[in-house]
Amino acid sequence: MKKILLFIFICSISFAQKKTIEQRVDSVLALMNLEEKIGQLVQYSGGWDTGTQTSRPREGHIELIRKGKIGSLLNVFGAEETKKIQKVAVEESRLKIPLIFGLDVIHGFRATFPIPLAEASSWNPSLVEKSARWQAIEASSAGIHWTFNPMVDIARDPRWGRIMEGSGEDPYLGSLMAVARVKGYQGNDLSANNTIAACIKHFAGYGGAEGGRDYNTVDFSERTFREVYLRPFQAAVNAGAATLMASFNEVGGVPSSGSNFLQTKILRKEWKFDGFVVSDWNSVGELIPHGVAKDLKQAAELGIKAGVDMDMEANAYYNHLSELVNEGKVSQKIIDESVRRILRIKFRLGLFDDPYKYCEAEREKNTVMSKQIVQATLQSAREAMVLLKNKNNLLPLKKDLKKIAVIGPLANSKDDPLGGWSQQGNANDVVTVLEGIKNKLGKSTEVNYEEGCTILGEEKNGFTKAVELANASDVAIVVVGESRNMAGEASSRAKIDLPGIQEDLVQSIQKTGKPVVVILMNGRPLTIPWIQENVSAVIETWYLGIQAGNAIADVLFGDYNPSGKLPVTFPRYVGQIPIYYNHKNTGRPYNPNDHYTSYYQDLENTPLYPFGFGLSYTTFTYSNLSLNKNKIKKNESLKVSVNVKNSGSVDGAEVVQLYIRDLVGSVTRPVKELKDFSKIFLKAGETKKVEFTITPEKLKFYDINMRFVVEPGDFKVFVGTNSEDVKEASFSVVD
Ligand code: NOJ
């Protein structure tokens, strides 16, 4: 008898394994009562708050898990801690459905990589994919199943603090970075124990906040929305992103967390997304202050009907969904659909097969801050830096200088290089700029440090010592910028120059006549025209993570030749914002000889540094831009080639960029659009032919009737080292 029972048991297991995920989801769904279904749609923080404090049910999350009333927790981590909590779900709740643990692993769990904007400056999607892979390996070892990343919001406004979390202003570069990160987090097999589910966010248009003020209103045309802001989302959905987060903002009068147009029409119907949507922190509850829901109950109704499956922290679904179903205002079918999407991802993650597979304390111990991960953060940090100026080749510095002055409030900061959203990043793990320089140099070089001033203070007492030190040294390295909490969520700035009196400090050091190198550490483009005008060498380092100091020293002393390019335009002055390279021409483009054209009376129209800009210790010469055809049909492709020579004396990498312009369309087109790029490495003196293919897909846009098509007509193609310094050729598309 025992043998027969065992046989039946084994058969049922192998049958279960043969069942598709959809069948398994259905069989779980069939067992669930309404309360348990709603439970799957509820997420609370199991730790700290990452948003305005909300009032949670009094029982506390462990009791709610036991009752099957929570499907997910955020802000808990650790192999042992998550195991303890998961055990309650899978051993003490009626249906034993595993929880999914989410966390903001934005640029690392403990081993902090450069901030996303910095990584985007590498223009190296495969490096970014590897970084996300490492982040997943580390986070998954600490019990995390799901990261609320990548943030794929396009940002054309550097006042917006969250620009640091994304990949800048361009939809093409942004899409490649989004896809790279999704692939890195999710790997080839979401059910492996070292991959985690990605969550693309914030859907959508969040980066378009008016005035760059966080959470502010967004309003733009559907064309701009689809061509600019939605593109990285669409690319990431196509790449298989498991989940998506609704945004806080409204677009054109409809808050995203209640937007059927976004969460259902575009996302599910057009893009066929089959993962689940989580709200942002209390964003369903915020439908009330937005003014589209009179109370939390109506907010819950709007959210679930729009297609927001999981309610993060608003209590709206927890408190009101069952009432709404009983009153017939929300159908069972809608609830079932949302539950199905969440269970589907839990199955894909393999949580039903082994809910504890992310909970091995030994693996966590061996993985977190492992040597290889730390090494990977160093490589990412090197590639993220952008050399903005290098007059008379002041850089790289010689390693045998006698005395070096390291000055500035960020030069020896342990905390700031971590950047915002650094999760479990620990200041003790950080190598500061001062430490990095000392690590690099032998005993024969004296390296001294003076803070000079604080980041925000007005006190100039420290200037005297800093100036004395500069006077007594061969070179002054001045590290200035923003503290790490000046960029990120709720960290918008109306003035984006160097905070406090830091620019005065740089000016005092510059007056000594000593060679000055400015190292910028910041989370957004800054307006620094004086520095660009006067200082010989400037490096944008953003926030580079735990290996910041070593990476910066590698660049300062020539062990790494900088190759980063700006993923976002730097304005000269805040009044130019929004300023971005792929703008429209207007009916009156600027003409210095015509008063009635589009310009500012008190400022040049150009940016301080254009999109795609970045120097190297070598030079690159472009020649022989050629097209294999000058005329193509709408469904044909075209090959573009160019020779790039390393015309300097050191080896280096260059990002060769291709832009197009559609000269006449049924609607206006941008003056330039990035369509391709290639990062190549060239030995000194070496030449490479770089080839690009312009496919019909790259020429398509939303025409006057909102059809995504190629229109016949004349095009320009530009290839060069940044969005302004380009060679150009022409071609036409015929019917
Ligand atoms: C609010 C942020 O907008 C979002 O990006 C983040 O993932 C959640 N809080 C959770 O921490």
Side-chain angles (χ1 to χ4, degrees), residues 334-398:
I334 284 190
I335 304 282
D336 283 359
E337 251 331 292
S338 287
V339 177
R340 182 172 278 119
R341 293 180 192 127
I342 291 166
L343 293 180
R344 184 180 288 144
I345 298 303
K346 289 186 175 179
F347 271 108
R348 285 188 189 157
L349 279 163
L351 291 173
F352 279 92
D353 299 318
D354 179 1
Y356 302 125
K357 64 190 209 189
Y358 297 73
C359 310
E360 296 157 34
E362 193 57 24
R363 176 156 77 100
E364 180 180 28
K365 210 175 97 209
N366 298 332
T367 310
V368 172
M369 284 293 285
S370 73
K371 252 196 182 155
Q372 292 135 296
I373 295 187
V374 173
Q375 189 57 33
T377 70
L378 176 61
Q379 185 52 24
S380 292
R382 289 179 181 135
E383 281 204 46
M385 274 174 272
V386 185
L387 180 64
L388 296 176
K389 187 173 177 190
N390 194 18
K391 194 173 160 196
N392 300 331
N393 294 328
L394 171 59
L395 294 175
L397 300 172
K398 295 212 176 64

Side-chain angles (χ1 to χ4, degrees), residues 50 74 104 148 162 201-202 245 248 280-281 312 489:
T50 35
L74 77 151
D104 291 289
F148 304 126
R162 303 199 79 169
K201 68 185 189 185
H202 307 82
M245 186 184 288
F248 289 122
D280 203 339
W281 183 283
M312 182 194 288
E489 188 177 351

Side-chain angles (χ1 to χ4, degrees), residues 525-589:
L526 297 176
T527 45
I528 44 162
W530 187 90
I531 287 181
Q532 167 58 23
E533 185 68 32
N534 295 283
V535 174
S536 294
V538 185
I539 310 173
E540 176 56 80
T541 72
W542 311 110
Y543 300 113
L544 292 175
I546 49 174
Q547 284 290 310
N550 287 337
I552 291 170
D554 283 346
V555 164
L556 282 172
F557 297 94
D559 288 336
Y560 183 81
N561 185 356
S563 60
K565 302 274 185 174
L566 295 177
V568 62
T569 303
F570 273 50
R572 294 173 186 278
Y573 190 72
V574 77
Q576 287 178 300
I577 297 169
I579 178 169
Y580 47 91
Y581 86 95
N582 48 354
H583 60 85
K584 301 292 183 73
N585 202 36
T586 82
R588 293 187 177 190

